């Protein structure tokens, strides 16, 4: 599961950078950033649950 999350994070970073570099595709950078944050949050929540750490 961890490898999948890392691959997704890497994909979102590539999409975000591509959107930032290509001026006409700003929305791609926005979508990539949102997906990156969502995947990172999901991975953090899953990791905390596995370790038995309770959230707020």
């Amino acid at each position: 599961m961890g490898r999948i999350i890392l691959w997704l994070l890497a994909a979102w970073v590539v999409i975000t950078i591509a959107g930032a570099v290509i001026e006409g595709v700003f929305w791609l950078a926005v979508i990539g950033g949102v997906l990156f944050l969502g995947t990172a949050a999901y991975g953090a929540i899953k990791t905390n649950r596995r370790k038995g750490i309770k959230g707020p």
Side-chain angles (χ1 to χ4, degrees), residues 13-36:
V13 167
V14 169
I15 289 171
T16 303
I17 292 171
V21 169
I22 303 169
E23 294 177 19
V25 198
F26 175 73
W27 59 269
L28 193 60
V30 173
I31 291 172
V34 169
L35 291 174
F36 178 84

